[in-house]
Amino acid sequence: MGSPEEARVRLPQLRLDELLDELQGRLDAARGTRDRVHSLLEAVLSVGRELDLEQALRSIVEAAAVLVDAEYAALGVIGPDGKRLSAFHTVGVSDEQIARIGPYPEGHGILGELIHHPEPLRLAKISEHPESYGFPPHHPPMNTFLGVPIRVRHQVFGNLYLTEKRGGAQFDEEDVSVTLTLAVAAGVAIDNARLYAESRLRERWLRANAEIVHRLMAGGERAEVLGLIAEQAREITGAALAVVAMPMEETDSLSVELALGHGADALQGVVLPVDGTLIGEAFSGATAVTSADVLHDERVSTGLSRFTGLGPAVAVPVGTGESGVRGVLLLVREAGQIAFSEKEIDLLRGFAAQAAIAMELAERRLEAEEVAVLKDRDRIARDLHDLAIQRLFATGMTLQSAGRFIEHAEASERVSRAVDDLDETIKIIRSTIFGLRTREGTQGSGLRARVVRVVGEAAPVVCFAPSVRMEGLLDTDVPKEIADNVVAVLSEALTNIARHARADRAEVVLATDGREVRLSVTDNGVGIPPAGRRSGLRNMAERAEHLGGRLELTEPADGGTSLVWRVPLKKG
């Protein structure tokens, strides 16, 4: 045993070692804090550099996992309804694991707890929380949990979820502070990415409008411009189907002039009533109208099979209530996709309004050109009347007077014939003047309007509204004589359905390809009885034969009658 003096020497030595150990511990803690702050600053800078929203969200999740040393991390984006998650970004789970687990969570259990109560949540064991109800099959085991909300301009955008702190440790208050700091930086980064995305989107809409104006001012055809409007809107909004419907003259109906994308062929030429339809509501109200699911929306009356696989939709008027609605643009996304947001609809509404203005300017330019042509025709007619006819008339009078002094019979006869020719020439010129002064557009209603009117008049008689579909340049290519026969045959066919068919559904299809016109009337009735009267059918057949065409009658496999009446537009 040492002396008291030796003991006094060893005691300060022990205290010094303890102080040195404590100092070393504090230095290590300070160094760790410094390193963590440095890592946090790097994470904030990394997240803030991203302008693409999806990449920004990915960077936020990755940075959060590194900062708190979590094995798994996820960022859930809250949907428009504020009750469930619309998107989910993960770190730590492989694609193969995700495929085995199944669909991403919608926001129930612990995840839903943060949606309903957006405050930091720290758990030592997830399964012990009252809102926890376990994980789906193939899900990796998770115990420790840390969740914090991400706010963008005081609105909760989504939540950060962190689980399984490495080394079996628990998430502590410092982890919560670091994650909250990152969440603030994430909110700024998300807001910047959104603003950037919106500016890029507005730029795309402006470029689309500029292209439409250029095409119209360059004299582009109406069908070409409508196609451009539909294609640009479909591409920018990510829609699966784009439809342009225009009003039909002298009717309360809209005709689908153009359809692009999913199921477009079945919609081309379909005639829709204004009342009771999604497109009609947008047209009559001059406002955007949305549908959460067109397949189950009773305002969509063109047949459910045409919209299989489709979901959210928006119908936007082309034009405004002040200047008049020129038509409706319908966009439909695939089933399961998100509905059109208010911001998207506002941009789409502006695009449609600008397109309508461009169409009106182009029409005014065409009208000005037509007025110039008509003025020129009036001038030509006036010159012909005041100059040519008067000189010809004077020449004729001179020849008539000279004819009395001609004694040679043959010469006198030739002069007389010349005077008659001059009279005939004057008549031709007067007829030409009349033609020049006749304004276009006085020939009456077009074939499309007449067909819609006939079908509308037949609806009360047959006790249902037959569907109508029209394709091709019916008002332009079909001569008046053939158009009159088409209307007569259609009226007779609908009358036969009302009298004999006992049907509850009928479809009318009228189309032309520039070579022939084809009228098809199909019903689901009892068919044509073998011993029934056929005077009406005989009249239809005779009309077709007189024009060089034919009438075909068939009975579809599912019952009813199919009548096809076709004639060439030019006799061969």
Side-chain angles (χ1 to χ4, degrees), residues 214-442:
H214 174 73
R215 292 280 185 92
L216 283 168
M217 294 299 104
E221 295 291 333
R222 168 175 155 141
E224 176 191 0
V225 175
L226 290 179
L228 183 61
I229 292 172
E231 183 56 42
Q232 293 280 18
R234 185 170 77 103
E235 180 183 344
I236 294 174
T237 60
L241 171 68
V243 171
V244 178
M246 305 296 281
M248 303 182 66
E249 293 182 2
E250 302 180 14
T251 69
D252 291 328
S253 303
L254 296 163
S255 173
V256 175
E257 291 207 9
L258 184 75
L260 298 174
H262 181 100
D265 292 341
L267 291 166
Q268 192 72 43
V270 168
V271 176
L272 302 169
V274 171
D275 294 335
T277 62
L278 184 72
I279 291 178
E281 190 175 332
F283 178 79
S284 59
T287 185
V289 181
T290 60
S291 172
D293 185 0
V294 291
L295 193 61
H296 301 96
D297 194 329
E298 56 187 24
R299 293 174 298 175
V300 180
S301 61
T302 59
L304 295 179
S305 60
R306 292 170 176 154
F307 290 94
T308 302
L310 297 177
V314 60
V316 180
V318 180
T320 60
E322 294 80 13
S323 59
V325 179
R326 295 175 170 272
V328 176
L329 172 63
L330 173 71
L331 296 170
V332 191
R333 284 177 173 155
E334 292 181 351
Q337 291 194 350
I338 61 172
F340 290 87
S341 66
E342 283 298 325
K343 199 157 290 185
E344 286 181 305
I345 294 173
D346 285 342
L347 291 171
L348 184 58
R349 190 186 290 115
F351 168 75
Q354 290 296 324
I357 292 172
M359 292 170 69
E360 185 171 353
L361 288 174
E363 288 177 5
R364 293 290 177 269
R365 181 179 61 81
L366 289 175
E367 287 175 1
E369 292 176 356
E370 289 176 0
V371 168
V373 170
L374 292 174
K375 285 182 178 179
D376 202 36
R377 288 166 63 175
D378 285 343
R379 181 188 59 76
I380 294 171
R382 187 170 57 253
D383 290 346
L384 286 172
H385 182 272
D386 295 344
L387 301 176
I389 287 183
Q390 298 303 325
R391 296 191 66 173
L392 288 171
F393 187 76
T395 303
M397 293 291 291
T398 301
L399 288 173
Q400 270 188 326
S401 299
R404 300 194 196 99
F405 301 103
I406 300 175
E407 296 180 357
H408 194 282
E410 186 176 347
S412 177
E413 184 182 351
R414 287 187 178 182
V415 169
S416 179
R417 283 204 304 271
V419 171
D420 292 340
D421 288 343
L422 287 173
D423 286 339
E424 189 64 28
T425 302
I426 291 172
K427 290 178 182 177
I428 293 172
I429 293 176
R430 280 177 173 165
S431 177
T432 302
I433 292 172
F434 178 78
L436 286 171
R437 287 179 171 171
T438 299
R439 298 296 186 262
E440 295 179 0
T442 60

Side-chain angles (χ1 to χ4, degrees), residues 53 108 141 155 173 175-176 182 185 245 260 321-322 324 342 357 388 410 459-460 553 557 567:
L53 182 58
H108 305 294
Q155 295 291 324
E173 287 297 333
D175 292 327
V176 175
L182 179 65
L260 298 174
E322 294 80 13
E342 283 298 325
I357 292 172
E410 186 176 347
L553 288 174
V567 298

Side-chain angles (χ1 to χ4, degrees), residues 158-198:
N159 297 303
L160 266 175
Y161 307 110
L162 302 151
T163 62
E164 291 301 286
K165 188 174 178 70
R166 297 183 189 276
Q170 299 289 326
F171 293 109
D172 54 25
E173 287 297 333
E174 189 175 339
D175 292 327
V176 175
S177 299
V178 168
T179 311
L180 284 172
T181 304
L182 179 65
V184 173
V188 175
I190 291 169
D191 194 29
N192 288 339
R194 277 178 160 181
L195 292 173
Y196 179 72
E198 288 174 13

Side-chain angles (χ1 to χ4, degrees), residues 507-523:
E507 182 178 27
V508 175
V509 179
L510 179 62
T512 180
D513 57 2
R515 296 186 296 272
E516 72 168 11
V517 63
R518 180 179 181 274
L519 172 66
S520 169
V521 183
T522 306
D523 66 70

Side-chain angles (χ1 to χ4, degrees), residues 75 207 236 293 511 554:
L75 192 158
R207 283 203 306 267
I236 294 174
D293 185 0
T554 58

